Amino acid sequence: MAVFVALGAFLMTLAGGWTAQRVTDRRHLVLGLAGGLMLGVVGLDLLPEALQAAGDEVFGVPEALLLFVAGFLLAHLVERLLAARRAAHGADEHGQRSPQVGLTAAAAMVGHSAMDGVAIGAAFQVGGGMGAAVAMAVIAHDFADGFNTYTLTSLYGNARRRAIAMLVADALAPVAGAASTLLFTIPEGALGAYLGLFGGVLLYLAAAEILPEAHHEHPARSTLLCTVAGAAFIWLVVGVAE
């Protein structure tokens, strides 16, 4: 049942990526929506789950929050190192983006989707009602995952072929994650640590890359509304799941 339900997440992820491809003439709106979706996923979904799963504290601060900050700083460090490398080779720091950053971010999205599949499988082991609730939340926000995976990959200068490949990988990840629960279980603490770290990376990409790019050429009110709508959509998904 868990694997069957994960097929719904597969289809929703592809639908999200397809939507991102079809609205290229409204790129600023796409990026604004993606930024809002990413902000919502981090603040309303990833961080609460991370804090619940990784309950240990280090010097009075929850481990998940420390890893969240570490993820943000790690993403910033990687982006600065790649910018310095481009500048050393004569590239314009602000005119070119590193494809590796986009691929790394998309790979993290794939990892997150695999964890979604694991969550579905683990919930169904607890009971059918729990499994249905978790599956509904995962399937709903996997549309946003597919949307963001394609947007992140293509935004950083990767070819359309690569963006589609990462989208397909992201779509398959929940199915693989759900199937893996038949073989083993990921420790709750490790899952919380991963979610905290990934949340920091995702917030950096949204705040420092996606949203500034969305407003750079089109500082329109409609772009801001798309950002708010993206965050509100994730809020709705989380609320319905609860």
Side-chain angles (χ1 to χ4, degrees):
M1 177 61 72
V3 175
F4 177 75
V5 170
L7 291 175
F10 169 84
L11 295 176
M12 286 296 287
T13 302
L14 292 180
W18 180 85
T19 301
Q21 294 180 61
R22 301 297 295 179
V23 289
T24 53
D25 58 330
R26 293 290 184 269
R27 185 169 177 269
H28 59 292
L29 299 180
V30 172
L31 293 176
L33 179 62
L37 291 171
M38 292 164 70
L39 176 61
V41 166
V42 171
L44 307 177
D45 187 18
L46 289 181
L47 273 184
E49 289 186 20
L51 288 170
Q52 184 176 3
D56 295 337
E57 291 189 356
V58 180
F59 288 102
V61 178
E63 181 183 79
L65 289 182
L66 288 175
L67 287 167
F68 171 76
V69 174
F72 189 98
L73 293 175
L74 177 63
H76 178 60
L77 175 62
V78 170
E79 196 266 342
R80 288 295 89 198
L81 288 175
L82 290 172
R85 181 180 177 184
R86 292 196 304 271
H89 288 81
D92 179 8
E93 178 180 340
H94 300 286
Q96 297 187 13
R97 295 179 180 272
S98 173
Q100 290 86 348
V101 173
L103 290 175
T104 301
M109 294 294 295
V110 173
H112 171 57
S113 294
M115 293 301 101
D116 283 345
V118 171
I120 292 176
F124 270 102
Q125 290 178 5
V126 174
M130 174 69 72
V134 172
M136 180 174 61
V138 169
I139 290 173
H141 89 247
D142 271 356
F143 179 89
D145 284 352
F147 190 97
N148 288 335
T149 297
Y150 185 88
T151 301
L152 282 170
T153 308
S154 58
L155 176 65
Y156 283 85
N158 289 284
R160 184 173 180 269
R161 173 175 53 84
R162 283 188 176 180
I164 292 177
M166 295 306 298
L167 173 64
V168 172
D170 189 46
L172 291 172
V175 181
S180 73
T181 58
L182 302 175
L183 304 175
F184 63 90
T185 303
I186 297 179
E188 188 177 23
L191 178 60
Y194 167 78
L195 291 176
L197 185 70
F198 175 53
V201 172
L202 205 60
L203 181 63
Y204 178 83
L205 293 175
E209 299 289 338
I210 303 297
L211 291 178
E213 181 72 15
H215 292 276
H216 177 62
E217 295 181 359
H218 297 275
R221 183 178 301 173
S222 57
T223 306
L224 178 59
L225 291 177
C226 283
T227 302
V228 174
F233 172 74
I234 299 299
W235 185 19
L236 176 64
V237 169
V238 172
V240 169
E242 293 294 332

